[in-house]
Amino acid sequence: MIGNSLVMSFESKLKIREYAEGYRLFDLRRGKSSGRVWKSSVFFAIGIAMMIIIMLNSWDITRVPVACVILLVCIYMCSYYLYMLPKRAKLRGEHIFKSSKLLSKNCKYYIYRDHFIMKSENETLKRYYTELTDCIETDDIFLLIGGFENRVTVISKRYITQSQRQLLSEHFQRETIRQYRRIKPKRKNKQ
């Protein structure tokens, strides 16, 4: 590709679950949920220490009530970081999608060598790949994170062909080398 030639163009439209999943991934990388693994690990380690203290006191809770309270707090914080925060981020993504008339509109994407343009009937967004902090691909979406306005761009794969998906995936891998990640599905769909 010489110069800044057009790589491909296509139309796509988001569904609420696609945007919610994209927003959840954004939150895991750049939001409140970032660092959730090490944070929950700290509370887990403190919880194990409290269990050992309780065990050394013959499981008599009345002898070490502070250890029991700290243990309960640690259990709550582990579940908060591992389950509640990602769920909250997904719900936040659904709320953003429902409250924005622009996200549900049909968009035309123009993918160039060093940037992409997203156009709908109400807005145009031009984003250079150097502005991106993350480029995440799942089985259903491409998630582009970065820039000052509209930090989360979710591109649905439903409306593009398999060959276009492959071309777009290869393009993002090549142009966003350090930012690109491919996330495998959590579980396989039963067929």
Side-chain angles (χ1 to χ4, degrees):
M1 288 178 250
I2 299 171
N4 195 17
S5 59
L6 180 68
V7 175
M8 66 185 301
S9 65
F10 57 89
E11 287 190 31
S12 185
K13 185 176 180 179
L14 281 175
K15 284 192 172 182
I16 190 169
R17 90 177 157 74
E18 292 168 335
Y19 187 81
E21 178 63 15
Y23 194 83
R24 184 187 71 81
L25 292 172
F26 161 74
D27 191 65
L28 288 173
R29 293 290 302 157
R30 301 287 171 199
K32 292 179 182 178
S33 297
S34 65
R36 71 189 182 108
V37 173
W38 74 264
K39 291 173 186 174
S40 63
S41 297
V42 168
F43 283 107
F44 182 77
I46 294 170
I48 293 294
M50 294 303 112
M51 286 289 291
I52 291 171
I53 290 171
I54 294 170
M55 183 181 69
L56 291 175
N57 285 288
S58 303
W59 300 100
D60 187 5
I61 304 172
T62 59
R63 291 167 71 185
V64 283
V66 173
C68 295
V69 170
I70 293 173
L71 177 63
L72 292 174
V73 168
C74 289
I75 291 170
Y76 173 78
M77 292 307 289
C78 283
S79 62
Y80 175 77
Y81 282 116
L82 294 176
Y83 302 108
M84 292 181 208
L85 265 183
K87 178 72 173 167
R88 190 177 292 169
K90 198 167 191 171
L91 291 173
R92 174 84 175 127
E94 289 175 2
H95 174 72
I96 291 169
F97 188 88
K98 289 176 185 175
S99 63
S100 173
K101 300 287 185 208
L102 300 176
L103 289 174
S104 61
K105 299 278 185 192
N106 197 27
C107 291
K108 180 89 171 165
Y109 291 89
Y110 300 93
I111 309 296
Y112 292 91
R113 186 182 60 81
D114 64 350
H115 69 280
F116 71 92
I117 297 173
M118 179 186 79
K119 286 186 179 182
S120 71
E121 62 186 53
N122 300 92
E123 72 175 336
T124 299
L125 172 72
K126 182 177 182 180
R127 178 74 32 85
Y128 287 93
Y129 300 131
T130 54
E131 296 177 57
L132 298 179
T133 56
D134 292 284
C135 176
I136 300 172
E137 179 183 0
T138 69
D139 287 344
D140 302 321
I141 62 170
F142 288 101
L143 173 65
L144 306 169
I145 301 171
F148 293 110
E149 82 294 333
N150 196 7
R151 294 187 59 203
V152 179
T153 304
V154 180
I155 301 173
S156 175
K157 289 183 173 181
R158 280 181 300 118
Y159 295 103
I160 56 178
T161 65
Q162 187 62 35
S163 61
Q164 286 177 317
R165 289 178 187 184
Q166 184 66 29
L167 179 65
L168 193 55
S169 179
E170 290 170 1
H171 175 72
F172 284 144
Q173 287 177 46
R174 183 176 52 253
E175 299 303 328
T176 62
I177 295 170
R178 291 187 178 155
Q179 297 90 350
Y180 180 84
R181 284 174 190 70
R182 170 80 170 124
I183 296 179
K184 302 291 182 197
K186 293 179 189 172
R187 59 188 173 277
K188 297 199 177 210
N189 294 333
K190 294 182 181 179
Q191 295 180 4

